[in-house]
Amino acid sequence: MTARLELVSDDHDGERELARLASSGDERAFERLYHAHAGRVFALCLRMSGTRQRATELTQDVFVQVWKRLASWRGESALSSWIYRLAVNLVLSNVRGEKRRHTHEVSEDQSTEMGQGLSHMDTAEARPASVPDAIDLERAIAALPPGARTVFVLHDVEGFDHRQIGEMLGVSDGTSKSQLHRARMRLREMLADRRATAESA
Amino acid sequence: MTAPTCREIQPELSLLVDSRLRADVEVRVREHLGGCAVCRGVLADLDRLRRATRDIGPITPPDHVWLQIAGNLRLSESSAAPAPSPHRARAPIWQWAGLAAALVLVTVALYLAQRIQRTPPAEPAPAQASSTAPSGSVDAIADELNLAAAHYERALAELEALAKTSASPVDAAVATEVRDSLSAIDLAIAESRAALASNPQSEPARDSLFDALRRKITVLQTTVSLINEMRSGDPEGAQRAAETLGKKS
């Protein structure tokens, strides 16, 4: 896992004790663990799924799984990393299910097409932008196509590298890079549109 | 060797922002950037975007998420099997709203039942403490129950709305059955609460309140199964659940 993920909890001993209590059935200890980690897990679920309703359902699923599997956490990694990895796997598994249903599978062929699909940016005007507002950014992330959103969140928000993302998604590093670039260019476009709309209003 | 076009250069700009570009490629990209305002603009935007993304952080989930998780844990423990995941199967939103609200209320009610059980029996103690503790518990219970009941009422209204628009007579019967059951139990809860308010030491009143709460939990748990039966399109199963509701209330 990345450096970002290791910063969550400084009190490893306290967290280890809470995990021990929770794994033996102490719901109050588990509730404290929930409150310590729910914000990051919910944010991941929200950004990956794109809707609050789905994020709520996924967050519930993640913590039910944490409760069931907590006894298997041996403490080799930080609990935050363990929970987060579990969350990523569960969300990705869900995202893959969604893609199968909606035929949005990330494939090598598609990634090539995505690279070609960026040609319209050749003629785009260079529009110097201010740093995007966090709310605008969250909205724009939610509006990304599912495949590009997944790679963007994993790389730019969660800090995974292209090799790790490739392994998680079952695609090549190159596909991950193409998806990321596609996502960033799409975000740039959406944020510029929002800015233009705001300025004209 | 011809000079690279913007179309060839732009996919490399993401790697440049991440400092992941091979040295020889970077030289070519920077040469292009020196003479291309469009690509310089894209690079500047990507860099701003990258920095802005680093600053977005955790998002607090809605309060009810924990209650639903706790309810799910308790239900799965009581049934010795994992509770069905709410998003595995697609269902109309009203059904999940009903299920979620029912789970919230079941959870709250279970909390309340445990708190009542934990309330120590009347025993020699300073007069003020022994007379105010049970009353305080009842007030807190009332507040929480009212809040949870408000959630459930909304779900029930949605259930009724569906019953009115559905061709299935089972749905209308189900909605009526649930409402009747809950009305009877709510009456018992109100009477027990009034008795406890006037005599906080009354063990029969406390037992009666506890019993009514337990019955409400049972009705709600059965309602959850009923909603599941309706979700899976099994009117016979829903009818059986409705009949069970009648017996349990």
Side-chain angles (χ1 to χ4, degrees):
Chain A
M1 293 293 254
T2 64
R4 268 193 171 202
L5 304 184
E6 305 298 339
L7 296 175
V8 171
S9 175
D10 295 330
D11 184 7
H12 292 295
D13 290 341
E15 198 159 68
R16 192 182 296 266
E17 177 61 9
L18 278 179
R20 188 189 65 73
L21 290 169
S23 65
S24 63
D26 184 332
E27 195 180 293
R28 286 186 182 280
F30 187 64
E31 186 175 358
R32 289 180 64 190
L33 287 178
Y34 166 81
H35 287 297
H37 301 283
R40 299 193 72 237
V41 169
F42 183 69
L44 171 80
C45 295
L46 182 57
R47 289 169 189 143
M48 297 274 273
S49 71
T51 73
R52 284 184 76 81
Q53 174 70 21
R54 298 284 296 114
T56 298
E57 294 164 358
L58 286 167
T59 302
Q60 288 174 44
D61 272 8
V62 167
F63 280 98
V64 169
Q65 289 303 313
V66 169
W67 170 263
K68 288 178 180 171
R69 300 185 195 177
L70 200 49
S72 70
W73 177 62
R74 301 293 175 209
E76 290 97 351
S77 60
L79 182 63
S80 57
S81 302
W82 183 81
I83 290 174
Y84 216 63
R85 189 70 193 217
L86 192 152
V88 167
N89 289 339
L90 195 146
V91 172
L92 283 179
S93 150
N94 193 268
V95 166
R96 277 193 287 268
E98 294 277 311
K99 278 176 185 164
R100 273 193 291 276
R101 278 191 287 278
H102 297 100
T103 61
H104 280 304
E105 201 71 69
V106 177
S107 69
E108 303 287 340
D109 289 347
Q110 274 182 313
S111 81
T112 309
E113 288 170 15
M114 285 164 193
Q116 291 167 351
L118 295 171
S119 58
H120 69 282
M121 295 306 293
D122 287 349
T123 55
E125 259 184 59
R127 287 177 286 199
S130 55
V131 174
D133 173 270
I135 295 172
D136 281 348
L137 184 54
E138 294 280 11
R139 283 183 183 147
I141 292 171
L144 284 172
R149 184 173 65 224
T150 300
V151 173
F152 178 81
V153 171
L154 290 175
H155 187 280
D156 278 13
V157 181
E158 306 304 340
F160 291 99
D161 62 33
H162 289 296
R163 184 185 56 75
Q164 291 171 310
I165 294 169
E167 285 171 5
M168 287 180 207
L169 300 180
V171 298
S172 68
D173 295 11
T175 298
S176 176
K177 288 172 186 170
S178 299
Q179 289 272 28
L180 178 63
H181 183 64
R182 177 187 185 229
R184 287 174 174 173
M185 294 298 268
R186 184 78 190 99
L187 285 172
R188 172 182 181 262
E189 200 175 8
M190 285 191 281
L191 292 166
D193 286 347
R194 281 177 196 277
R195 197 170 56 251
T197 306
E199 282 168 6
S200 66
Chain B
M1 188 173 173
T2 57
T5 64
C6 294
R7 182 172 167 173
E8 289 167 328
I9 288 294
Q10 287 189 5
E12 309 292 354
L13 297 180
S14 271
L15 292 170
L16 184 60
V17 165
D18 295 333
S19 306
R20 298 275 180 194
L21 206 53
R22 262 188 9 233
D24 57 325
V25 181
E26 184 171 343
V27 170
R28 282 202 317 143
V29 170
R30 291 208 179 277
E31 273 177 16
H32 177 90
L33 287 170
C36 180
V38 171
C39 287
R40 280 201 303 275
V42 172
L43 180 66
D45 285 352
L46 292 181
D47 189 51
R48 286 189 197 94
L49 180 64
R50 188 84 178 92
R51 281 185 282 121
T53 306
R54 285 195 194 108
D55 293 336
I56 61 174
I59 302 171
T60 305
D63 290 342
H64 67 81
V65 174
W66 166 250
L67 282 178
Q68 287 171 326
I69 290 168
N72 205 329
L73 300 184
R74 287 165 187 225
L75 285 176
S76 64
E77 279 172 8
S78 64
S79 64
S85 173
H87 70 270
R88 296 280 187 264
R90 299 281 133 208
I93 193 73
W94 72 268
Q95 290 173 326
W96 292 125
L99 180 59
L103 283 172
V104 167
L105 189 49
V106 167
T107 306
V108 172
L110 282 166
Y111 269 126
L112 303 182
Q114 286 188 350
R115 285 170 52 170
I116 289 171
Q117 281 180 310
R118 283 200 297 267
T119 303
E123 55 185 45
Q128 178 128 6
S130 63
S131 65
T132 56
S135 174
S137 296
V138 169
D139 287 345
I141 288 166
D143 288 347
E144 292 182 25
L145 191 65
N146 287 339
L147 183 65
H151 283 293
Y152 189 77
E153 282 298 317
R154 280 200 295 276
L156 199 58
E158 286 167 333
L159 191 67
E160 283 185 321
L162 181 92
K164 284 175 187 167
T165 57
S166 169
S168 166
V170 173
D171 293 342
V174 163
T176 306
E177 198 70 54
V178 171
R179 184 173 286 284
D180 289 348
S181 300
L182 289 175
S183 296
I185 295 172
D186 286 341
L187 183 62
I189 289 173
E191 288 172 355
S192 305
R193 199 179 285 150
L196 261 182
S198 62
N199 182 8
Q201 301 300 323
S202 168
E203 284 191 18
R206 194 182 305 169
D207 289 345
S208 175
L209 177 57
F210 185 37
D211 181 59
L213 286 170
R214 269 198 306 216
R215 280 190 290 140
K216 191 157 187 172
I217 291 166
T218 306
V219 168
L220 291 169
Q221 283 175 328
T222 310
T223 306
V224 170
S225 349
L226 182 153
I227 291 171
N228 275 330
E229 295 290 356
M230 293 178 70
R231 174 177 58 80
S232 62
D234 179 3
E236 289 179 8
Q239 182 64 58
R240 280 196 300 276
E243 287 165 2
T244 310
L245 272 176
K247 288 172 193 166
K248 284 184 176 174
S249 62

